[in-house]
Amino acid sequence: LWVADVQNNAVYKINTSGSVMEMIGSPTNTNCNVGESTAASAARFNQPTDVAVDAFGNVYVADQLHSYIRKITNGGEVQRYAGKCGVSGSLTGICTDDTLFLSPYCIERDGLVSYILDDGKVREISENCVVKTLSSAIPFAIAMKVSRNRTGAGPIIIADLIDKQLYSLNVDGNRLDEIPVTGNTLSSPSSIDV
């Protein structure tokens, strides 16, 4: 079990009985780490908002105020995955210093692909570490989930907190559709699962 703790600027590994096995980060030091990777004991985050685990046990972290995506390897090393620490923007391309994020705060994994909710944009990091923007029309999006069906990946479902809407993003065609909710009105959709 992995938990992102925004207040303490840390990511925790917790066992099923609730004991903290490992804390990565520091409540008092949010400086950017220099270089591509660092030992977990020296890693620093600045308001990590979400984590996603892949099939190999690697953990991907949306490091919101550092404006980039980190990867905690199953061997315990913390690496820069995409973006540049402390430099915000919205550049696409190969996962290098030239690829930038504004404020990544939600991350989902689907096989070898990562999807990031970044300041109202849905961004994708491919298995070859190419970052592209899929949609930029959701200014108050707060949560997303990748929907799966029997044939593989389905659309990305997105919750918009301020506009109180749900959206479906077709990843292949980059088409964004509103999901009409009938019956009760959503007052503040803040989390979803499919």
Side-chain angles (χ1 to χ4, degrees), residues 59-182:
V59 180
Y60 299 83
V61 182
D63 195 351
Q64 185 178 26
L65 294 186
H66 279 161
S67 301
Y68 75 149
I69 308 300
R70 309 286 290 281
K71 177 181 176 182
I72 303 169
T73 68
N74 57 15
E77 185 178 50
V78 180
Q79 301 174 343
R80 178 178 69 117
Y81 186 59
K84 185 174 182 181
C85 188
V87 180
S88 64
S90 191
L91 297 176
T92 59
I94 304 214
C95 298
T96 64
D97 286 346
D98 297 330
T99 303
L100 300 177
F101 292 85
L102 286 168
S103 181
Y105 52 87
C106 185
I107 186 166
E108 285 282 315
R109 291 282 297 174
D110 184 36
L112 299 174
V113 178
S114 295
Y115 296 99
I116 296 97
L117 207 46
D118 180 28
D119 198 43
K121 297 175 178 74
V122 177
R123 315 273 308 273
E124 176 189 270
I125 304 175
S126 73
E127 63 183 295
N128 299 323
C129 213
V130 175
V131 178
K132 68 179 180 179
T133 301
L134 300 179
S135 172
S136 60
I138 315 156
F140 301 106
I142 191 163
M144 72 175 175
K145 286 289 180 185
V146 176
S147 174
R148 305 235 1 127
N149 56 38
R150 285 178 283 188
T151 60
I156 297 173
I157 308 301
I158 303 152
D160 187 326
L161 180 65
I162 303 300
D163 290 336
K164 303 171 184 155
Q165 297 291 326
L166 297 177
Y167 296 95
S168 173
L169 175 64
N170 180 320
V171 177
D172 297 328
N174 294 345
R175 186 173 139 182
L176 185 68
D177 295 313
E178 184 178 322
I179 299 173
V181 178
T182 58

